[in-house]
Amino acid sequence: YLKEIGQIKLLSAEEMIRKMTSLPAYVYGLPNKGKIAVGMGANVTILDISLRRLEELDNMFGAHIQTLVSNDSNVERVLKDADLVIGSVLIPGGSTPKLFKRKYLPEMKNGAVFVDVAIDQGGCGEASHVTTHDDPVFIEEGVVHYCVSNIPGAVANSTSVALAGETLPMLLNIMNNGLEEACVRDGFIRRSLTAYKGYLTHEETSGIQGRPWIKPEDILGIADRKLDPAPPATTTKSSNFITCCK
């Protein structure tokens, strides 16, 4: 997308990577993009609501990046001097909050670029609307907006190969061992189980929809087994439990 935006002649590629702001940090693998940007001499600021994640990034990059807690004051402050802003907010099962507010646009540099990676979930920018690979950008208040839905579609073959490489081991695990044993061996499979035997088993969905849920470990009857660790719920949590039905 940098190449496509650069064709508008508002910013050179060098200018666009000079100062990059990402909010928040961990969605869509942005730490890896941060490594590339830092290696190219960009001044990178990363905002996140997770203090643990910010500490990890500080330990990873040291003085090469700046980390800030994501709040309205910090977002507005760093945007004023940013050449490129990458919005990568994700609320599993819910709509994306509008962190990149329209009122910030007049305060930003003319020709600055905003990439709304969260556009598939509604976008994290108030001015965002879906664009396409054929017509990827629009300009609002002098700020270039790149809001292409399904960004990986630009490299569809590579994306398909990468997706298959990540999902095939999980599918083979389920096929060869059955769902229960696969959930014992792989915490990510267990964590991603959304419904089982007619019962909701996904915490974020329970919190967003207000529906009761049962932990996968309980309904699968594996709570007393030694389980592969599963990632915790995000900021959306739920204590609305079903306490029956093995």
Side-chain angles (χ1 to χ4, degrees), residues 180-213:
E180 292 181 10
E181 186 62 28
C183 286
V184 171
R185 299 184 179 195
D186 191 329
F188 283 90
I189 295 177
R190 188 172 72 254
R191 179 70 176 81
S192 61
L193 186 67
T194 302
Y196 185 70
K197 293 185 177 180
Y199 292 96
L200 180 64
T201 57
H202 194 257
E203 184 171 4
E204 282 93 338
T205 304
S206 170
I208 291 169
Q209 297 185 0
R211 299 174 182 267
W213 72 297

CSV table of all heavy atoms in Angstrom, one decimal, residues 180-213:
chain,number,residue,atom,x,y,z
A,180,GLU,N,-11.5,-33.5,21.1
A,180,GLU,CA,-11.2,-33.4,22.5
A,180,GLU,C,-9.7,-33.5,22.7
A,180,GLU,O,-9.1,-32.7,23.5
A,180,GLU,CB,-11.9,-34.5,23.3
A,180,GLU,CG,-13.4,-34.4,23.3
A,180,GLU,CD,-14.1,-35.5,24.1
A,180,GLU,OE1,-13.4,-36.3,24.8
A,180,GLU,OE2,-15.3,-35.5,24.1
A,181,GLU,N,-9.0,-34.5,22.1
A,181,GLU,CA,-7.6,-34.6,22.3
A,181,GLU,C,-6.8,-33.5,21.7
A,181,GLU,O,-5.8,-33.0,22.2
A,181,GLU,CB,-7.1,-36.0,21.7
A,181,GLU,CG,-5.7,-36.3,22.0
A,181,GLU,CD,-5.4,-36.4,23.5
A,181,GLU,OE1,-6.2,-36.8,24.2
A,181,GLU,OE2,-4.2,-36.1,23.8
A,182,ALA,N,-7.3,-33.0,20.5
A,182,ALA,CA,-6.7,-31.8,19.9
A,182,ALA,C,-6.7,-30.6,20.8
A,182,ALA,O,-5.8,-29.8,20.9
A,182,ALA,CB,-7.3,-31.5,18.6
A,183,CYS,N,-7.8,-30.4,21.5
A,183,CYS,CA,-8.0,-29.3,22.5
A,183,CYS,C,-7.1,-29.5,23.7
A,183,CYS,O,-6.7,-28.5,24.3
A,183,CYS,CB,-9.4,-29.1,22.9
A,183,CYS,SG,-10.5,-28.4,21.6
A,184,VAL,N,-6.8,-30.7,24.0
A,184,VAL,CA,-5.8,-30.9,25.1
A,184,VAL,C,-4.4,-30.5,24.7
A,184,VAL,O,-3.6,-29.9,25.4
A,184,VAL,CB,-5.8,-32.4,25.5
A,184,VAL,CG1,-4.7,-32.7,26.5
A,184,VAL,CG2,-7.2,-32.8,26.2
A,185,ARG,N,-4.1,-30.9,23.4
A,185,ARG,CA,-2.7,-30.7,22.9
A,185,ARG,C,-2.4,-29.3,22.4
A,185,ARG,O,-1.2,-28.9,22.4
A,185,ARG,CB,-2.4,-31.7,21.8
A,185,ARG,CG,-2.6,-33.2,22.2
A,185,ARG,CD,-2.2,-34.1,21.0
A,185,ARG,NE,-2.3,-35.5,21.4
A,185,ARG,CZ,-1.8,-36.5,20.7
A,185,ARG,NH1,-1.1,-36.2,19.5
A,185,ARG,NH2,-1.9,-37.7,21.0
A,186,ASP,N,-3.4,-28.6,22.0
A,186,ASP,CA,-3.2,-27.3,21.4
A,186,ASP,C,-4.2,-26.3,22.1
A,186,ASP,O,-5.4,-26.3,21.8
A,186,ASP,CB,-3.5,-27.3,19.9
A,186,ASP,CG,-3.0,-26.1,19.2
A,186,ASP,OD1,-3.1,-25.0,19.8
A,186,ASP,OD2,-2.6,-26.2,18.0
A,187,GLY,N,-3.6,-25.4,22.9
A,187,GLY,CA,-4.4,-24.4,23.6
A,187,GLY,C,-5.1,-23.4,22.6
A,187,GLY,O,-6.2,-22.9,23.0
A,188,PHE,N,-4.5,-23.2,21.5
A,188,PHE,CA,-5.1,-22.2,20.5
A,188,PHE,C,-6.4,-22.8,19.9
A,188,PHE,O,-7.4,-22.1,19.7
A,188,PHE,CB,-4.1,-21.8,19.4
A,188,PHE,CG,-3.1,-20.8,19.9
A,188,PHE,CD1,-1.9,-21.3,20.5
A,188,PHE,CD2,-3.4,-19.5,19.8
A,188,PHE,CE1,-1.0,-20.3,20.9
A,188,PHE,CE2,-2.4,-18.5,20.3
A,188,PHE,CZ,-1.2,-19.0,20.8
A,189,ILE,N,-6.4,-24.1,19.7
A,189,ILE,CA,-7.6,-24.8,19.2
A,189,ILE,C,-8.7,-24.7,20.2
A,189,ILE,O,-9.8,-24.4,20.0
A,189,ILE,CB,-7.3,-26.3,18.8
A,189,ILE,CG1,-6.4,-26.3,17.6
A,189,ILE,CG2,-8.6,-27.0,18.4
A,189,ILE,CD1,-6.0,-27.7,17.2
A,190,ARG,N,-8.3,-25.0,21.5
A,190,ARG,CA,-9.3,-25.0,22.6
A,190,ARG,C,-9.8,-23.6,22.8
A,190,ARG,O,-11.0,-23.4,23.0
A,190,ARG,CB,-8.6,-25.5,23.8
A,190,ARG,CG,-9.5,-25.7,25.0
A,190,ARG,CD,-8.8,-26.4,26.2
A,190,ARG,NE,-7.9,-25.5,26.9
A,190,ARG,CZ,-6.5,-25.7,26.8
A,190,ARG,NH1,-6.0,-26.6,26.0
A,190,ARG,NH2,-5.7,-24.9,27.5
A,191,ARG,N,-9.0,-22.6,22.7
A,191,ARG,CA,-9.3,-21.2,22.9
A,191,ARG,C,-10.3,-20.7,21.8
A,191,ARG,O,-11.1,-19.8,22.0
A,191,ARG,CB,-8.1,-20.4,23.0
A,191,ARG,CG,-8.3,-18.9,23.2
A,191,ARG,CD,-8.8,-18.6,24.6
A,191,ARG,NE,-8.9,-17.2,24.7
A,191,ARG,CZ,-9.9,-16.4,24.3
A,191,ARG,NH1,-10.9,-17.0,23.7
A,191,ARG,NH2,-9.9,-15.1,24.5
A,192,SER,N,-10.1,-21.3,20.6
A,192,SER,CA,-10.9,-20.8,19.5
A,192,SER,C,-12.2,-21.5,19.3
A,192,SER,O,-13.0,-21.1,18.4
A,192,SER,CB,-10.1,-20.9,18.2
A,192,SER,OG,-9.7,-22.2,17.9
A,193,LEU,N,-12.4,-22.5,20.1
A,193,LEU,CA,-13.7,-23.3,20.0
A,193,LEU,C,-14.8,-22.3,20.4
A,193,LEU,O,-14.9,-21.8,21.5
A,193,LEU,CB,-13.7,-24.5,20.9
A,193,LEU,CG,-14.9,-25.4,20.8
A,193,LEU,CD1,-14.9,-26.1,19.5
A,193,LEU,CD2,-14.8,-26.5,22.0
A,194,THR,N,-15.8,-22.1,19.5
A,194,THR,CA,-16.8,-21.1,19.7
A,194,THR,C,-18.1,-21.7,20.2
A,194,THR,O,-18.8,-21.1,21.1
A,194,THR,CB,-17.1,-20.3,18.4
A,194,THR,OG1,-15.9,-19.7,18.0
A,194,THR,CG2,-18.2,-19.3,18.6
A,195,ALA,N,-18.5,-22.9,19.7
A,195,ALA,CA,-19.7,-23.6,20.1
A,195,ALA,C,-19.5,-25.1,20.0
A,195,ALA,O,-18.7,-25.6,19.2
A,195,ALA,CB,-20.9,-23.2,19.2
A,196,TYR,N,-20.1,-25.8,21.0
A,196,TYR,CA,-20.0,-27.3,21.0
A,196,TYR,C,-21.2,-27.9,21.5
A,196,TYR,O,-21.7,-27.5,22.6
A,196,TYR,CB,-18.8,-27.6,21.8
A,196,TYR,CG,-18.4,-29.1,21.9
A,196,TYR,CD1,-17.9,-29.7,20.7
A,196,TYR,CD2,-18.6,-29.9,23.0
A,196,TYR,CE1,-17.6,-31.1,20.7
A,196,TYR,CE2,-18.3,-31.2,23.0
A,196,TYR,CZ,-17.8,-31.8,21.9
A,196,TYR,OH,-17.5,-33.2,21.9
A,197,LYS,N,-21.8,-28.8,20.8
A,197,LYS,CA,-23.1,-29.5,21.2
A,197,LYS,C,-24.2,-28.5,21.6
A,197,LYS,O,-24.9,-28.7,22.5
A,197,LYS,CB,-22.8,-30.4,22.4
A,197,LYS,CG,-21.9,-31.6,22.0
A,197,LYS,CD,-21.8,-32.6,23.1
A,197,LYS,CE,-20.9,-33.8,22.6
A,197,LYS,NZ,-20.7,-34.8,23.7
A,198,GLY,N,-24.2,-27.4,20.8
A,198,GLY,CA,-25.3,-26.4,21.0
A,198,GLY,C,-25.0,-25.4,22.1
A,198,GLY,O,-25.9,-24.6,22.4
A,199,TYR,N,-23.9,-25.4,22.7
A,199,TYR,CA,-23.5,-24.5,23.8
A,199,TYR,C,-22.4,-23.5,23.4
A,199,TYR,O,-21.5,-24.0,22.7
A,199,TYR,CB,-23.1,-25.3,25.1
A,199,TYR,CG,-24.2,-26.1,25.7
A,199,TYR,CD1,-24.4,-27.4,25.4
A,199,TYR,CD2,-25.1,-25.5,26.6
A,199,TYR,CE1,-25.4,-28.2,25.9
A,199,TYR,CE2,-26.2,-26.2,27.1
A,199,TYR,CZ,-26.3,-27.5,26.8
A,199,TYR,OH,-27.3,-28.3,27.4
A,200,LEU,N,-22.5,-22.3,23.8
A,200,LEU,CA,-21.5,-21.3,23.5
A,200,LEU,C,-20.3,-21.6,24.4
A,200,LEU,O,-20.4,-21.8,25.6
A,200,LEU,CB,-22.1,-19.9,23.8
A,200,LEU,CG,-21.1,-18.7,23.6
A,200,LEU,CD1,-20.7,-18.6,22.1
A,200,LEU,CD2,-21.8,-17.4,24.1
A,201,THR,N,-19.1,-21.6,23.8
A,201,THR,CA,-17.9,-21.9,24.5
A,201,THR,C,-16.8,-20.8,24.3
A,201,THR,O,-15.6,-21.1,24.5
A,201,THR,CB,-17.3,-23.3,24.0
A,201,THR,OG1,-17.1,-23.2,22.6
A,201,THR,CG2,-18.3,-24.4,24.4
A,202,HIS,N,-17.2,-19.7,23.9
A,202,HIS,CA,-16.3,-18.6,23.6
A,202,HIS,C,-16.5,-17.4,24.5
A,202,HIS,O,-17.6,-16.8,24.5
A,202,HIS,CB,-16.3,-18.2,22.1
A,202,HIS,CG,-15.2,-17.4,21.7
A,202,HIS,ND1,-15.3,-16.0,21.5
A,202,HIS,CD2,-13.9,-17.7,21.4
A,202,HIS,CE1,-14.1,-15.6,21.1
A,202,HIS,NE2,-13.3,-16.6,21.0
A,203,GLU,N,-15.5,-17.0,25.3
A,203,GLU,CA,-15.7,-16.0,26.3
A,203,GLU,C,-16.1,-14.6,25.7
A,203,GLU,O,-17.0,-13.9,26.2
A,203,GLU,CB,-14.5,-15.8,27.2
A,203,GLU,CG,-14.7,-14.9,28.4
A,203,GLU,CD,-13.6,-14.9,29.4
A,203,GLU,OE1,-12.6,-15.7,29.1
A,203,GLU,OE2,-13.7,-14.2,30.4
A,204,GLU,N,-15.4,-14.1,24.7
A,204,GLU,CA,-15.6,-12.8,24.2
A,204,GLU,C,-17.0,-12.7,23.6
A,204,GLU,O,-17.7,-11.7,23.7
A,204,GLU,CB,-14.6,-12.4,23.1
A,204,GLU,CG,-13.2,-12.0,23.6
A,204,GLU,CD,-12.3,-13.2,23.7
A,204,GLU,OE1,-12.7,-14.3,23.8
A,204,GLU,OE2,-11.1,-12.9,23.8
A,205,THR,N,-17.4,-13.8,22.9
A,205,THR,CA,-18.8,-13.8,22.3
A,205,THR,C,-19.8,-13.7,23.4
A,205,THR,O,-20.8,-13.0,23.3
A,205,THR,CB,-19.0,-15.0,21.5
A,205,THR,OG1,-18.0,-15.1,20.5
A,205,THR,CG2,-20.4,-15.0,20.8
A,206,SER,N,-19.6,-14.4,24.5
A,206,SER,CA,-20.5,-14.3,25.7
A,206,SER,C,-20.6,-12.9,26.2
A,206,SER,O,-21.7,-12.3,26.5
A,206,SER,CB,-20.0,-15.2,26.8
A,206,SER,OG,-20.7,-15.0,28.0
A,207,GLY,N,-19.4,-12.2,26.3
A,207,GLY,CA,-19.4,-10.9,26.9
A,207,GLY,C,-20.1,-9.9,26.0
A,207,GLY,O,-20.8,-9.0,26.4
A,208,ILE,N,-19.9,-10.0,24.7
A,208,ILE,CA,-20.4,-9.0,23.7
A,208,ILE,C,-21.9,-9.2,23.5
A,208,ILE,O,-22.7,-8.3,23.5
A,208,ILE,CB,-19.7,-9.2,22.4
A,208,ILE,CG1,-18.2,-8.7,22.5
A,208,ILE,CG2,-20.4,-8.3,21.3
A,208,ILE,CD1,-17.3,-9.0,21.4
A,209,GLN,N,-22.3,-10.5,23.4
A,209,GLN,CA,-23.7,-10.8,23.2
A,209,GLN,C,-24.6,-11.0,24.4
A,209,GLN,O,-25.8,-11.1,24.3
A,209,GLN,CB,-23.8,-12.0,22.3
A,209,GLN,CG,-23.2,-11.9,20.9
A,209,GLN,CD,-23.4,-13.1,20.0
A,209,GLN,OE1,-24.0,-14.0,20.4
A,209,GLN,NE2,-22.9,-13.0,18.8
A,210,GLY,N,-24.0,-11.0,25.6
A,210,GLY,CA,-24.7,-11.2,26.8
A,210,GLY,C,-25.3,-12.6,26.9
A,210,GLY,O,-26.3,-12.8,27.6
A,211,ARG,N,-24.7,-13.6,26.3
A,211,ARG,CA,-25.2,-15.0,26.4
A,211,ARG,C,-24.3,-15.8,27.3
A,211,ARG,O,-23.1,-15.6,27.4
A,211,ARG,CB,-25.1,-15.6,25.0
A,211,ARG,CG,-26.0,-14.9,23.9
A,211,ARG,CD,-25.7,-15.6,22.6
A,211,ARG,NE,-26.5,-14.9,21.5
A,211,ARG,CZ,-27.7,-15.3,21.1
A,211,ARG,NH1,-28.3,-16.3,21.7
A,211,ARG,NH2,-28.3,-14.6,20.2
A,212,PRO,N,-24.9,-16.8,28.0
A,212,PRO,CA,-24.1,-17.6,28.9
A,212,PRO,C,-23.2,-18.5,28.2
A,212,PRO,O,-23.5,-18.9,27.1
A,212,PRO,CB,-25.2,-18.3,29.7
A,212,PRO,CG,-26.4,-18.4,28.9
A,212,PRO,CD,-26.4,-17.1,28.1
A,213,TRP,N,-22.1,-18.9,28.8
A,213,TRP,CA,-21.1,-19.7,28.1
A,213,TRP,C,-20.6,-20.8,29.1
A,213,TRP,O,-20.7,-20.6,30.3
A,213,TRP,CB,-20.0,-18.9,27.5
A,213,TRP,CG,-19.0,-18.4,28.5
A,213,TRP,CD1,-19.2,-17.4,29.4
A,213,TRP,CD2,-17.6,-18.7,28.6
A,213,TRP,NE1,-18.1,-17.1,30.1
A,213,TRP,CE2,-17.1,-17.9,29.6
A,213,TRP,CE3,-16.8,-19.5,27.9
A,213,TRP,CZ2,-15.7,-17.9,30.0
A,213,TRP,CZ3,-15.4,-19.6,28.3
A,213,TRP,CH2,-14.9,-18.8,29.3
